[in-house]
Amino acid sequence: MSTAERHDSSSLDATALGADIAQGVITARAAMQQAVDRVAARNPSINAACGVEAETGLRLAQALDDELAALSPEQRQAQLQHRPFLGVPTLLKDLGTAALGLPSAMGSVLYGHVAWDVDAEIVKRYRHAGLIPFGRTTSAELGLSPTTESPAYGPPTQNPWKAGHSAGGSSGGAGAALASGMVRIAHGSDGGGSIRIPASCCGVLGLKPSRGLMPLGPLKGEGWGGLATEHMMTISVRDCAASLDISAGADVGAPYAAPAQPAQSYRAVVARVSADPQSATRRRIAFINTTYEGGVIHPEVAATVDEAARFFAALGHELVPALPPVGSEEVLSPMLPLIASAAANAIDSFVAARGRRLAADELQPTTLGAREYARAISGSQYVACVDTCHEITRRIGRFLHRDGAHGYDLFLTPVLAQPPAPIGRYAMDNADYLAYRLGKKGVIGYSPFAPLANLTGMPAISIPFGMSSDGLPIGIQVMGPLGSEALLLELAAQVEALRPWALVAPMAR
């Protein structure tokens, strides 16, 4: 057996794996075969991967090996400058991001397997950077839940750290695939916390980029009225930074201009801070260990944020307890009509195109409830919600605008108000959409923090930081003003350098 065949890629991040492929330590085909084998071995108990096209992945990997065989060692190494993930296997979220050869079920029984005749621009950029998508990851139905328990995939997606607990949602499959070691990098999307929630639940890194920074064409201009965006979920900060470097920037015809990017690459920013954590610029950081209104959250989550505040303060940042000028329900109330309307439009368009009426068992009760709720929203009410979102954005813009002794650079919060929930706790079986989100036992009590970044379009990152007494990950969230991804990555790099997190959940090793 050759060195390339013996090499085990499961302990590497995507950057290291790409470098090994470039150097010939492992072939792209061997790396793909290992990923396919890990999915086959681990997915039956976790149910994070779906739509796996192993032969397609192996064929594309072999084609890359053939291409590399014609290059000198120096030429192979030079490839990494613009293809940092050379030959790295990956999975795309099963929520409509178009990819040739990888149909999508949208997390729903209704859609079955929607085939695409084009790659989304972001997928084109991933492929150009060397990534090889070979399947999908499970998602909540139409992205509407903070857990991944859609009947489209059979059993719920399990948290690799502890069976019986949620992997988060709606990109729960991506988080679980990373934490279980199936792949080293996985695509997600985030319209109300759908990257950051599973990142927190699964102990991986999850960045929601600024509105406009990531391409969403050519089939759409925006997601959920500008609330949603896409990015790779990763196990290392440098992978997150490299993912931005190879995919950020508006595509042709985008409705928003992309925020300015740093003079250096994101990778260079992370490399500097990783080498010297004290080199990061000192920031003034507001933080809370309560809800936005000052309400009590789970004590282990509050303690994790307190510990994070002490950690950053010890590195020279100024940490200031400060409630934001907004309430949790005040944030969600104008967002929910936008989300429900987007879901209803997607459902109605699909049903009309297929020419057959919707059957009650084709959607989960909460999704059906969202569709009915959306039908009662008038055009003027929709516009009023957009105006409210803009007003709140102005408020938060002033909060996260540093002016001498006033305002803050960044905002530190929990990702979730509780550790990862038991499976079934937030299943989409409540036909009352508003009660599911805002009721006494609704999602708002579990996830009051993440939606603010979607409403404002500002970036926010989930960083692994703590563990519950039950052995489940607890993430912290840092949010910044539009275009502040480099600042967020600096803080994440400080945590990674001084408090490194596990690259694979113990039960998956």
Side-chain angles (χ1 to χ4, degrees), residues 147-201:
T147 187
T148 302
E149 304 180 31
S150 171
Y153 311 113
T157 298
Q158 299 284 333
N159 192 311
W161 288 83
K162 188 174 183 181
H165 287 262
S166 174
S170 62
S171 309
L178 286 177
S180 64
M182 294 184 203
V183 291
R184 304 286 72 198
I185 188 168
H187 164 263
S189 61
D190 192 316
S194 289
I195 284 176
R196 289 159 290 151
I197 291 169
S200 179
C201 289

Side-chain angles (χ1 to χ4, degrees), residues 23 39 95 119 160 165 242 284 373 376 379 383 405 412 427 456 466:
Q23 293 162 12
V39 170
L95 197 63
D119 274 339
H165 287 262
R284 190 165 194 251
Y373 168 72
V383 171
L412 168 65
T456 61

Side-chain angles (χ1 to χ4, degrees), residues 237 241 245 262-276 279-280 283 485-491 493:
V237 183
D245 284 331
Q264 292 180 299
S265 68
Y266 292 108
R267 279 175 286 183
V269 170
V270 167
R272 171 178 54 79
V273 177
S274 297
D276 178 11
S279 68
R283 307 295 179 186
E485 281 80 0
L487 277 65
L488 304 183
L489 291 169
E490 281 190 350
L491 264 64

Side-chain angles (χ1 to χ4, degrees), residues 184-221:
R184 304 286 72 198
I185 188 168
H187 164 263
S189 61
D190 192 316
S194 289
I195 284 176
R196 289 159 290 151
I197 291 169
S200 179
C201 289
C202 295
V204 300
L205 194 74
L207 170 69
K208 183 209 82 78
S210 298
R211 184 175 297 150
L213 187 61
M214 309 305 288
L216 292 175
L219 301 182
K220 57 185 177 180

Side-chain angles (χ1 to χ4, degrees), residues 441-484:
K441 296 183 179 180
V443 171
I444 190 170
Y446 182 52
S447 179
F449 305 106
L452 181 60
N454 301 92
L455 181 149
T456 61
M458 298 176 186
I461 192 167
S462 173
I463 307 170
F465 203 89
M467 296 293 293
S468 75
S469 56
D470 288 341
L472 287 159
I474 298 174
I476 57 170
Q477 176 178 263
V478 186
M479 177 178 163
L482 204 67
S484 62

Side-chain angles (χ1 to χ4, degrees), residues 33-356:
Q33 186 65 63
Q34 290 180 10
V36 168
D37 290 346
R38 287 195 298 269
V39 170
R42 300 172 188 180
N43 198 52
S45 61
I46 295 172
N47 199 24
C50 60
V52 173
E53 298 287 345
E55 291 306 314
T56 297
L58 290 166
R59 175 177 53 79
L60 292 172
Q62 184 61 59
L64 177 60
D65 285 335
D66 294 343
E67 175 190 336
L68 293 176
L71 303 179
S72 69
E74 293 76 20
Q75 289 173 321
R76 291 168 67 111
Q77 191 65 26
Q79 291 280 310
L80 292 174
Q81 295 304 310
H82 63 278
R83 300 171 82 184
F85 300 124
L86 194 66
V88 174
T90 191
L91 298 168
L92 304 176
K93 184 178 178 180
D94 190 28
L95 197 63
T97 299
L100 290 166
L102 295 176
S104 177
M106 313 288 283
S108 177
V109 171
L110 170 65
Y111 287 84
H113 297 281
V114 177
W116 307 100
D117 58 6
V118 66
D119 274 339
E121 176 62 26
I122 198 167
V123 174
K124 286 183 181 179
R125 295 181 187 186
Y126 289 158
R127 294 191 199 274
H128 183 72
L131 287 162
I132 304 179
F134 70 101
R136 297 277 184 177
T137 57
T138 56
S139 168
E141 186 167 68
L142 297 184
L144 294 177
S145 175
T147 187
T148 302
E149 304 180 31
S150 171
Y153 311 113
T157 298
Q158 299 284 333
N159 192 311
W161 288 83
K162 188 174 183 181
H165 287 262
S166 174
S170 62
S171 309
L178 286 177
S180 64
M182 294 184 203
V183 291
R184 304 286 72 198
I185 188 168
H187 164 263
S189 61
D190 192 316
S194 289
I195 284 176
R196 289 159 290 151
I197 291 169
S200 179
C201 289
C202 295
V204 300
L205 194 74
L207 170 69
K208 183 209 82 78
S210 298
R211 184 175 297 150
L213 187 61
M214 309 305 288
L216 292 175
L219 301 182
K220 57 185 177 180
E222 62 181 14
W224 286 5
L227 301 177
T229 189
E230 304 179 35
H231 188 43
M232 281 291 181
M233 296 170 64
T234 66
I235 59 171
S236 72
V237 183
R238 68 178 182 176
D239 282 356
C240 184
S243 298
L244 280 180
D245 284 331
I246 58 97
S247 62
D251 51 342
V252 176
Y256 304 105
Q261 298 176 45
Q264 292 180 299
S265 68
Y266 292 108
R267 279 175 286 183
V269 170
V270 167
R272 171 178 54 79
V273 177
S274 297
D276 178 11
Q278 293 288 349
S279 68
T281 303
R282 275 49 169 180
R283 307 295 179 186
R284 190 165 194 251
I285 305 173
F287 79 97
I288 55 172
N289 62 3
T290 65
T291 66
Y292 290 163
E293 297 82 4
V296 174
I297 61 174
H298 193 284
E300 292 178 333
V301 175
T304 297
V305 176
D306 288 339
E307 187 178 355
R310 291 191 295 270
F311 170 84
F312 289 125
L315 287 168
H317 300 288
E318 181 185 0
L319 276 292
V320 183
L323 296 175
V326 72
S328 303
E329 188 167 338
E330 187 182 8
V331 170
L332 272 173
S333 291
M335 291 177 63
L336 294 179
L338 307 185
I339 295 169
S341 296
N345 180 65
I347 294 164
D348 292 345
S349 297
F350 180 82
V351 170
R354 76 174 183 179
R356 189 175 76 252

